[in-house]
Amino acid sequence: MINLISDTVTKPTPQMLDFMMKAEVGDDVFGQDPTINELESYVAEMFGKEKAIFCPSGTMTNQIAIKCHTQPLDEVICDHYSHVYQYETGGYAFNSGVAVNLIQGTNGKITAEQIEAAIKPVYDWLPISKLVVLENSCNKGGGSYYTLDEIRPITTLCKDRGLKLHLDGARLFNVLVETGENTVDIGNHFDSVSICISKGLGAPVGSLLIGDADLIKQARRYRKVMGGGMRQAGYLAAACLFALKNQRTRLKIDNDKAKEIGLLLEKQPYVKVVRPVKTNIVIFDLADGQKADPFLEKLKSKGILATAFGPETVRFVTHLDYTDEMHVEVMNVLKRM
Ligand SMILES: *Cc1c(COP(=O)(O)O)cnc(C)c1O
């Protein structure tokens, strides 16, 4: 089977497993796992920030960030497609007691003007606007991305208005291979950044939250109370170090394959519209009258797995384990659907 369900389906390569096996480990709840400490320093420095914290998932790093930046009865401003709103089980309300103020952006992207218009005045009967969350790339937006030129006015607005700015950068590295921008510049524009190493980068587990020392000190307490304090997890951190050092620049290959799939789909009669393919995600609507489920069944019978993103919407995600041979096969199948 060719699995295009997500870029989380990758398995560690023999080289990665070998590197993991050789990791030096200790009890990270006591701060004594040398490999986790190395990963946290490496990533903090990569983004020009003081500290980072290793967590089991990107949901946890986002939830901890929201918790650190807000008080109950505050609100988070984000696009209506945001992962923090759509796919984290409503955790913003459960963990932080905050509301969301949703913006209808364009393919998951919002502007400084939209954010400014969404900031609430201060009245007893309104939640207090406290945090803005941007997602880069934006999953439900079809892998759309912000450039630094688009982020800059948002950073300025947040500074002027006393709002915190968090980046959900689960797939940030797929963006940076497109824009050529660097991680320190990204870090400079946000109060906190979350990255996932278990997506396109190909580690089995692991996300990091990056920020200043005070924020990460607080984050360590919240990680513990959420049940995310791990012990000899240096084996996992080793996989993340391996992925960051060896599997980063190749993300361009995944993006290019996704773009080829997008171009092919645009020409197919069974496709109504393909969201602009900017990174490694392809989202398209089927032509009128066609449903995603039977389409996915047919694809499956031809050896390809993908996922529905709405009743008539399909998503493909390319990744490390999606080979050139598989790509040829997928292109052939899609021409004949
Ligand atoms: C995958 C993802 C996350 C985190 O997901 P986990 O499965 O909890 O690691 C966060 N934000 C975005 C945009 C994602 O795509």
Side-chain angles (χ1 to χ4, degrees), residues 96-118:
S96 299
V98 296
V100 285
N101 184 349
L102 299 177
I103 295 179
Q104 311 276 325
T106 308
N107 293 323
K109 289 169 59 187
I110 57 180
T111 64
E113 291 71 34
Q114 287 175 311
I115 296 166
E116 187 157 32

Side-chain angles (χ1 to χ4, degrees), residues 8 56-60 62 83 88 135 137 139 168 170-171 196 198-199 207:
T8 55
S57 74
T59 298
M60 188 180 281
N62 281 336
H83 196 278
E88 298 183 9
E135 192 172 310
S137 68
N139 173 21
D168 177 355
R171 293 194 178 84
C196 289
S198 59
K199 296 262 163 91
S207 290

Side-chain angles (χ1 to χ4, degrees), residues 150-183:
E150 293 169 307
I151 293 170
R152 202 165 290 117
I154 298 176
T155 306
T156 305
L157 172 75
C158 289
K159 287 220 167 87
D160 288 351
R161 302 295 296 266
L163 300 176
K164 297 291 178 188
L165 184 58
H166 172 69
L167 174 64
D168 177 355
R171 293 194 178 84
L172 178 66
F173 295 104
N174 286 87
V175 176
L176 299 184
V177 293
E178 292 297 317
T179 61
E181 293 163 350
N182 76 66
T183 41

Side-chain angles (χ1 to χ4, degrees), residues 227-256:
M230 298 184 287
R231 305 292 177 176
Q232 287 74 29
Y235 296 111
L236 300 174
C240 292
L241 278 167
F242 184 90
L244 284 165
K245 289 177 182 174
N246 300 292
Q247 293 174 174
R248 228 170 106 185
T249 47
R250 65 154 304 288
L251 290 171
K252 186 84 178 86
I253 299 169
D254 300 342
N255 292 354
D256 289 345

Side-chain angles (χ1 to χ4, degrees), residues 202-250:
V205 177
S207 290
L208 290 111
L209 179 67
I210 308 144
D212 67 24
D214 282 347
L215 182 105
I216 300 303
K217 192 170 170 211
Q218 229 188 329
R220 289 189 72 88
R221 290 184 60 78
Y222 292 134
R223 182 184 66 174
K224 193 74 179 102
V225 79
M226 289 178 186
M230 298 184 287
R231 305 292 177 176
Q232 287 74 29
Y235 296 111
L236 300 174
C240 292
L241 278 167
F242 184 90
L244 284 165
K245 289 177 182 174
N246 300 292
Q247 293 174 174
R248 228 170 106 185
T249 47
R250 65 154 304 288

